[in-house]
């Protein structure tokens, strides 16, 4: 299901002071340098959490699990942009940053009346970045290097907000009545795992995800993948039931793989009563795209391994797994 939400209110005047055509200071008389233009931003949320949970969770899953996962993700797949970062670049070869403004929003509708000197701009907008401590803006001095990038340790925490970006070419004409619209699309995604414990008691379960991009290039909407994908810690979601739920928020996976290889993985480490650890790797062959949620349901076995009936997920189990093998999770 697609939804579109308008970010718009005409109450706010954003003055962009650009080093162009003699307009070099905010204190100068700008009356001959430009005009006011209407900028409207629309948040395009592609995933409805309720619909996705209903379609991806079977009838045996307790409704409380769906409710808990919905409450955990409702601020990620949200129709509200809390902040927005606006950058205006020269369209020349260097793509030089001419002006940047960071604004508080806290609403799902806002438009801005912006003063701009007549010029051709490459415009980029980023929403919900301010409170996402796992992702930073980099390369902002040129349009073609502007990117969102997460930290690069081997193991990282989940993103803390749903990130939205948009871009547009603006041909601003002097003294003309113009308006511009920029659509913002979600740049990250989420993966969740639901585990039916079947009454089996274990000491600890830790779940990680991997196989995702480490960055997003705003100018051309492409993703950056490292040679070794970061390991993402999931967050345990309290379901209030015997079923367990773990969720990560991260950049998407690749769209396709070579041959029959998996695109991304869940890595699950179950510590049994005797202290031994069982590793289960669940290899997912379906891509996790931007703005999407993927839920995999599993069943816990007495030896600590997991099984799933999902035909798009392969399972590999290592009993009595020891650290220092193919993967060393940062616990």
């Amino acid at each position: 299901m697609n939804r579109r939400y308008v970010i718009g209110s005409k109450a706010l005047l954003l003055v962009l002071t650009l080093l162009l055509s003699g307009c070099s200071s905010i204190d100068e008389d700008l009356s001959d340098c430009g005009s006011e233009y209407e900028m409207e931003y629309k948040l395009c949320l592609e995933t409805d959490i309720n619909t996705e949970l209903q379609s991806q969770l079977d009838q045996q899953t307790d409704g409380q699990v769906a409710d808990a996962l919905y409450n955990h993700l409702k601020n990620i797949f949200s129709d509200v942009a809390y902040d927005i970062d606006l950058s205006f670049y020269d369209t020349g070869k260097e793509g030089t940053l001419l002006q940047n403004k960071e604004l508080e929003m806290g609403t799902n509708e806002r438009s801005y009346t912006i003063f701009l000197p007549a010029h051709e701009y490459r415009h980029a907008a980023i929403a919900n970045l301010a409170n996402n401590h796992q992702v930073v803006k980099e390369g902002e001095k040129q349009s073609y290097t502007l990117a969102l990038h997460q930290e690069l340790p081997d193991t990282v925490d989940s993103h803390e907000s749903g990130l939205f970006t948009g871009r547009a070419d603006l041909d601003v004409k002097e003294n003309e009545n113009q308006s511009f619209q920029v659509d913002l699309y979600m740049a990250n995604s989420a993966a969740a795992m639901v585990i039916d414990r079947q009454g089996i008691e274990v000491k600890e379960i830790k779940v990680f995800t991997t196989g995702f991009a480490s960055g997003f290039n705003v100018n051309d909407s492409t993703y950056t993948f490292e040679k070794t994908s970061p390991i993402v810690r999931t967050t345990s979601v309290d379901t209030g039931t015997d079923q367990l739920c773990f969720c990560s928020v991260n950049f998407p996976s690749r769209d396709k793989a070579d041959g029959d290889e998996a695109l991304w993985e869940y890595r699950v480490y179950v510590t049994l009563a005797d202290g031994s650890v069982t590793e289960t790797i669940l290899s997912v062959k379906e891509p996790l795209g931007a703005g999407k949620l993927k839920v995999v349901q599993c069943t816990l076995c007495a030896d600590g391994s997991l099984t799933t009936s999902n035909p798009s997920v392969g399972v590999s189990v290592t009993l009595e797994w020891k650290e220092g093998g193919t993967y060393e999770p940062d616990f």
Side-chain angles (χ1 to χ4, degrees):
M1 176 185 291
N2 292 330
R3 289 183 176 180
R4 306 188 81 200
Y5 301 86
V6 177
I7 303 177
S9 132
K10 300 181 181 177
L12 180 61
L13 175 64
L14 169 63
V15 178
L16 297 179
T17 307
L18 307 180
L19 303 179
L20 294 171
S21 306
C23 304
S24 59
S25 171
I26 197 169
D27 297 322
E28 293 182 9
D29 180 4
L30 302 180
S31 59
D32 295 328
C33 298
S35 302
E36 294 179 351
Y37 302 91
E38 177 115 346
M39 296 290 301
E40 181 180 20
Y41 297 88
K42 292 188 176 182
L43 203 68
C44 301
L45 184 63
E46 297 182 344
T47 295
D48 179 89
I49 292 297
N50 276 323
T51 300
E52 287 300 312
L53 292 175
Q54 290 172 14
S55 66
Q56 295 193 48
L57 294 175
D58 59 35
Q59 294 182 352
Q60 281 68 47
T61 302
D62 195 300
Q64 288 181 251
V65 176
D67 291 343
L69 195 49
Y70 169 81
N71 288 327
H72 180 72
L73 290 172
K74 65 182 181 181
N75 291 328
I76 301 297
F77 295 92
S78 172
D79 61 356
V80 175
Y82 298 96
D83 54 83
I84 192 165
D85 182 299
L86 304 177
S87 297
F88 294 82
Y89 295 91
D90 183 67
T91 57
K93 183 177 180 180
E94 297 300 321
T96 304
L97 176 66
L98 301 175
Q99 184 65 308
N100 171 261
K101 194 71 173 179
E102 298 176 1
L103 302 173
E104 293 183 0
M105 295 185 60
T107 179
N108 65 345
E109 295 188 2
R110 174 153 274 172
S111 64
Y112 299 94
T113 301
I114 300 178
F115 190 95
L116 287 171
H119 195 71
E120 292 185 3
Y121 300 92
R122 179 62 170 172
H123 175 44
I126 303 170
N128 288 340
L129 181 61
N131 294 318
N132 196 327
H133 301 98
Q134 306 307 316
V135 180
V136 297
K137 181 177 67 171
E138 293 184 344
E140 62 267 30
K141 296 302 182 182
Q142 279 81 38
S143 60
Y144 58 86
T145 59
L146 176 64
L148 299 177
H149 208 272
Q150 68 186 27
E151 58 178 340
L152 286 178
D154 291 340
T155 309
V156 300
D157 290 327
S158 292
H159 297 179
E160 298 166 299
S161 65
L163 299 170
F164 289 79
T165 71
R167 62 219 52 82
D169 292 320
L170 311 179
D171 187 4
V172 176
K173 305 292 186 181
E174 187 172 358
N175 298 321
E176 287 192 14
N177 184 19
Q178 293 177 279
S179 62
F180 302 95
Q181 178 177 308
V182 180
D183 292 336
L184 304 174
Y185 294 91
M186 196 168 177
N188 49 0
S189 53
M193 171 176 283
V194 176
I195 302 175
D196 183 355
R197 295 197 312 179
Q198 300 191 107
I200 297 172
E201 295 295 332
V202 298
K203 282 188 174 181
E204 188 176 42
I205 298 178
K206 286 188 175 289
V207 181
F208 302 83
T209 59
T210 189
F212 308 119
S214 61
F216 176 71
N217 304 304
V218 178
N219 188 56
D220 58 5
S221 295
T222 60
Y223 288 91
T224 300
F225 290 86
E226 305 295 331
K227 184 176 181 180
T228 301
S229 297
I231 307 298
V232 184
R233 296 183 186 93
T234 65
T235 301
S236 177
V237 180
D238 184 5
T239 67
T241 74
D242 191 52
Q243 296 186 85
L244 305 176
C245 183
F246 299 87
C247 185
S248 70
V249 180
N250 35 257
F251 285 124
S253 71
R254 287 185 168 87
D255 292 332
K256 58 181 67 176
D258 295 332
D260 199 37
E261 293 181 2
L263 289 167
W264 55 284
E265 297 175 346
Y266 294 94
R267 295 183 177 181
V268 186
Y269 297 85
V270 177
T271 303
L272 301 175
D274 63 2
S276 65
V277 177
T278 299
E279 176 195 59
T280 303
I281 297 179
L282 296 103
S283 304
V284 185
K285 298 177 182 179
E286 294 180 349
L288 180 60
K292 302 299 183 181
L293 166 67
K294 177 67 175 179
V295 182
V296 171
Q297 297 185 129
C298 299
T299 300
L300 179 65
C301 301
D303 61 4
S305 64
L306 297 179
T307 63
T308 181
S309 60
N310 192 319
S312 69
V313 180
V315 179
S316 174
V317 176
T318 301
L319 301 176
E320 298 189 6
W321 173 86
K322 304 294 184 182
E323 290 189 45
T326 57
Y327 168 56
E328 296 183 17
D330 181 4
F331 290 167

